[in-house]
């Protein structure tokens, strides 16, 4: 399911970010950057697929637009925040802080997606049944 793949890719991104904290050679930094790039791409794909699965019609476009806007803001503000963190905390603590934020995000996702209780899967089955039956969720409306 996209829930699990998104969660695993986010944890992979946190681990790749931790690699930066401990990398001391060019080869280590290169490996950490490759791992972080792969995990970041997986997070983006997993996030978009989760939005596509859970949003219908016009709401899907708006949700994807909001997600892409958040990505753009992160790309815009990230270097500034990272630079200030680097000056105040140093290299190792800056990367560990980023990894901790990613880990906290993963824990929040577990709670929001209902992975622990199986609620997320039940919602997906219900959504799939609605799509297959031709009903769009409005009373008496057939697509």
């Amino acid at each position: 399911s996209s829930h699990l793949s998104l969660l695993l890719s986010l944890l992979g991104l946190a681990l790749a970010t931790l690699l930066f904290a401990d990398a001391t050679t060019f080869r280590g930094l290169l490996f950490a950057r490759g791992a972080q790039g792969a995990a970041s791409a997986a997070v983006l794909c997993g996030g978009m697929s989760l939005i596509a699965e859970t949003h219908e019609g016009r709401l899907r476009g708006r949700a994807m637009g909001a997600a892409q806007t958040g990505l753009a803001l992160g790309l815009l503000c990230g270097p500034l925040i990272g630079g200030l963190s680097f000056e105040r905390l140093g290299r190792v603590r800056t990367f560990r802080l980023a990894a901790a934020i990613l880990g906290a995000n993963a824990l929040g996702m577990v709670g929001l997606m209902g992975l622990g209780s199986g609620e997320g899967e039940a919602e997906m089955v219900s959504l799939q049944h609605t799509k297959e039956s031709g009903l769009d969720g409005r009373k008496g409306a057939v697509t």
Side-chain angles (χ1 to χ4, degrees):
S1 119
S2 65
H3 294 89
L4 184 59
S5 64
L6 179 59
L7 181 62
L8 292 176
S9 60
L10 188 61
L11 290 173
L13 184 59
L15 291 174
T17 303
L18 278 177
L19 288 175
F20 271 111
D22 297 323
T24 57
T25 65
F26 177 73
R27 190 172 277 165
L29 288 170
L30 191 62
F31 178 77
R33 181 62 190 117
Q36 191 180 44
S40 178
V43 167
L44 183 62
C45 293
M48 289 295 119
S49 69
L50 183 61
I51 290 172
E53 287 178 2
T54 57
H55 293 76
E56 291 290 326
R58 290 178 61 183
L59 291 177
R60 182 180 301 145
R62 288 182 184 185
M64 286 187 174
Q68 293 298 326
T69 300
L71 175 66
L73 287 173
L75 290 172
L76 182 66
C77 299
L80 174 65
I81 295 169
L84 291 173
S85 298
F86 184 83
E87 281 185 10
R88 294 213 163 84
L89 301 174
R91 181 182 64 85
V92 172
R93 288 192 293 189
T94 297
F95 283 112
R96 288 186 179 160
L97 174 64
I101 291 170
L102 289 165
N105 188 3
L107 287 175
M109 285 174 50
V110 168
L112 288 174
M113 293 189 303
L115 286 177
S117 63
E119 294 172 9
E121 294 298 321
E123 290 174 13
M124 293 309 301
V125 169
S126 175
L127 181 61
Q128 185 64 31
H129 175 69
T130 302
K131 287 180 182 178
E132 289 172 358
S133 67
L135 298 176
D136 73 355
R138 292 178 290 175
K139 190 174 185 178
V142 177
T143 57

